[in-house]
């Protein structure tokens, strides 16, 4: 049998070799095809990440810009409760209604609600388009079932794309006989308590942190830096220096706050806190005393007029 196979192989060797050659050519062809296809695929995949890398670099620049002006609600001190749910819901409802000038809703949550309160409340819209990312910091009020709520938000204003970190003047919240929570527009009975609270370490820490964020944002965002100026694009510092270099009396015009700042009872940090200004809020200048301005301020959140002193470092004269 072996002899027969050898004889057959001898007679058909050229056909066997030809067949093997064909098979080998096919195998080499397949390998070349796969190699070329893999190389092309690899090239495509390297090109795509290159495009993605370019996009990522652009995104990274945007992220870096955003990160440089990142703001957030401050942490609270031990004496404050963050986002107590019923209070937070009431405050959000209130500022949503204020922004929309929804008098029907405000009439149900502000007590008393009348034309005077309406006018003072809607005055907020002259400065702010909206009140975003609201956070509340509340503490017990001076009477049973009452609370004082400080409100942090990122306020939107005309001409500025970024939200401005702001600590609004506190709201007095009362529980009614029906156990509903309402915002009191008559705060005269709570003035002393509010002033004492404003001086507390926990509230001052809130003010300091919001001011820090605002200053950081102002340093990174030219729109924020120029917000509240006289419209010429200057920061108003020269005007401040001119006013603070002398002591005069009589009405000197208007000024806007450049940060959250206390209104004091005297031209000194030792004076008691009568209220707080937020960035862009306008005051009337009565006189200047060194580095301080004697101002009057109509507080839209309370309806009261405050007569006190503010450091010129936090005012832009207009």
């Amino acid at each position: 049998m072996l002899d027969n196979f050898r004889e057959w192989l001898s007679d058909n060797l050229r056909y066997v070799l030809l067949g093997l050659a064909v098979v080998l050519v096919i195998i080499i062809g397949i390998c070349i095809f796969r190699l070329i296809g893999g190389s092309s695929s690899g090239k495509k995949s390297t090109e795509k990440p290159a495009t993605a890398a370019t996009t990522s670099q652009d995104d990274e620049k945007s992220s870096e810009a955003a990160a440089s002006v990142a703001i957030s609600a401050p942490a609270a001190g031990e004496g404050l409760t963050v986002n107590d749910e019923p209070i937070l819901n009431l405050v959000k409802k209130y500022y949503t209604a204020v922004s929309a000038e929804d008098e029907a809703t405000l009439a149900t949550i502000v007590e008393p609600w009348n034309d005077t309160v309406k006018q003072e409340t809607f005055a907020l819209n002259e400065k702010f388009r909206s009140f975003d990312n609201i956070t509340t910091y509340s503490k017990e009020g001076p009477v049973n079932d009452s609370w004082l709520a400080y409100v942090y938000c990122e306020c939107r204003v005309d001409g500025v794309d970024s939200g401005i970190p702001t600590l609004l003047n506190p709201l007095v919240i009362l529980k009614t006989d029906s156990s509903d929570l309402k915002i009191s527009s008559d705060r005269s009975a709570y003035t002393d308590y509010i002033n004492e609270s404003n001086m507390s370490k926990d509230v001052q820490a809130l003010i300091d942190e919001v001011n820090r964020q605002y200053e950081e944002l102002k340093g990174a965002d030219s729109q924020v830096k120029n917000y509240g100026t006289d419209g010429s694009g200057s920061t108003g510092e020269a005007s401040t220096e001119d006013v603070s270099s002398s002591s005069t009396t009589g009405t000197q015009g208007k000024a806007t706050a450049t940060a959250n700042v206390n209104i004091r009872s005297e031209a000194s940090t030792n004076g008691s806190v009568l209220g707080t200004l937020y960035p862009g809020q306008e005051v009337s200048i009565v006189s200047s005393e060194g580095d301080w301005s004697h101002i009057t301020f109509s507080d839209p959140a309370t309806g009261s007029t405050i007569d006190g002193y503010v450091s010129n470092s936090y005012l832009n004269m207009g």
Side-chain angles (χ1 to χ4, degrees):
M1 176 179 270
L2 184 58
D3 292 337
N4 292 336
F5 175 74
R6 286 175 178 172
E7 185 178 351
W8 176 86
L9 183 60
S10 176
D11 294 339
N12 297 281
L13 180 60
R14 61 179 179 175
Y15 299 109
V16 172
L17 293 176
L18 181 61
L20 290 174
V22 171
V23 172
L24 183 59
V25 168
I26 292 173
I27 293 173
I28 292 173
I30 292 173
C31 291
I32 292 173
F33 176 79
R34 287 186 175 181
L35 183 62
I36 293 174
S39 175
S40 174
S41 174
K43 184 176 181 180
K44 287 181 181 178
S45 73
T46 43
E47 287 175 352
K48 287 183 178 178
T51 304
T54 303
T55 305
S56 297
Q57 288 174 1
D58 293 338
D59 292 344
E60 186 177 348
K61 289 178 181 178
S62 301
S63 298
E64 286 176 357
S68 67
V69 296
I71 55 178
S72 61
E78 294 180 1
L80 298 170
T81 301
V82 181
N83 288 341
D84 179 89
E85 188 171 357
I87 291 175
L88 177 63
N89 291 339
L90 175 66
V91 169
K92 285 184 174 181
K93 185 176 182 180
Y94 172 73
Y95 281 108
T96 298
V98 170
S99 185
E101 296 194 356
D102 181 358
E103 185 176 358
T105 297
L106 289 167
T108 66
I109 59 176
V110 178
E111 195 173 85
W113 178 259
N114 52 48
D115 287 341
T116 301
V117 175
K118 170 186 172 181
Q119 182 178 1
E120 292 164 346
T121 300
F122 290 160
L124 283 171
N125 294 329
E126 295 177 7
K127 293 294 180 184
F128 300 140
R129 297 198 315 267
S130 65
F131 308 85
D132 301 335
N133 300 330
I134 286 176
T135 300
T136 59
Y137 304 84
S138 56
K139 59 169 59 178
E140 290 186 0
V143 297
N144 291 336
D145 293 331
S146 70
W147 296 266
L148 195 61
Y150 292 86
V151 181
Y152 167 88
C153 68
E154 294 159 20
C155 295
R156 298 286 174 177
V157 300
D158 290 332
V160 179
D161 296 330
S162 303
I164 295 182
T166 303
L167 191 66
L168 298 170
N169 285 313
L171 299 173
V172 175
I173 297 175
L174 306 173
K175 182 180 287 187
T176 64
D177 293 338
S178 60
S179 296
D180 293 331
L181 295 184
K182 293 199 173 185
I183 295 170
S184 175
S185 59
D186 182 8
R187 297 158 41 115
S188 57
Y190 312 106
T191 301
D192 291 341
Y193 180 78
I194 293 172
N195 289 339
E196 181 182 349
S197 176
N198 288 345
M199 287 290 289
S200 65
K201 289 183 178 180
D202 46 13
V203 174
Q204 287 296 309
L206 278 180
I207 293 173
D208 289 345
E209 174 58 18
V210 174
N211 279 342
R212 185 197 66 75
Q213 291 189 27
Y214 178 72
E215 290 299 323
E216 183 178 347
L217 185 63
K218 188 167 67 172
D221 190 326
S222 60
Q223 290 180 331
V224 178
K225 181 179 180 180
N226 293 327
Y227 173 61
T229 65
D230 58 7
S232 63
S234 66
T235 61
E237 291 175 355
S239 299
T240 302
E241 291 171 0
D242 291 342
V243 172
S244 63
S245 63
S246 63
S247 179
T248 59
T249 58
T251 302
Q252 296 185 354
K254 302 291 185 180
T256 51
T258 61
N260 288 97
V261 59
N262 291 325
I263 303 173
R264 301 276 183 176
S265 61
E266 57 184 272
S268 167
T269 54
N270 295 325
S272 59
V273 178
L274 305 179
T276 305
L277 298 176
Y278 49 72
Q281 202 157 36
E282 189 175 74
V283 299
S284 296
I285 303 296
V286 177
S287 64
S288 62
E289 299 181 13
D291 295 330
W292 293 77
S293 286
H294 180 191
I295 62 98
T296 59
F297 166 60
S298 297
D299 185 353
T302 65
S304 61
T305 297
I306 302 175
D307 187 301
Y309 295 84
V310 176
S311 171
N312 289 331
S313 300
Y314 299 99
L315 292 176
N316 278 331
M317 305 299 174

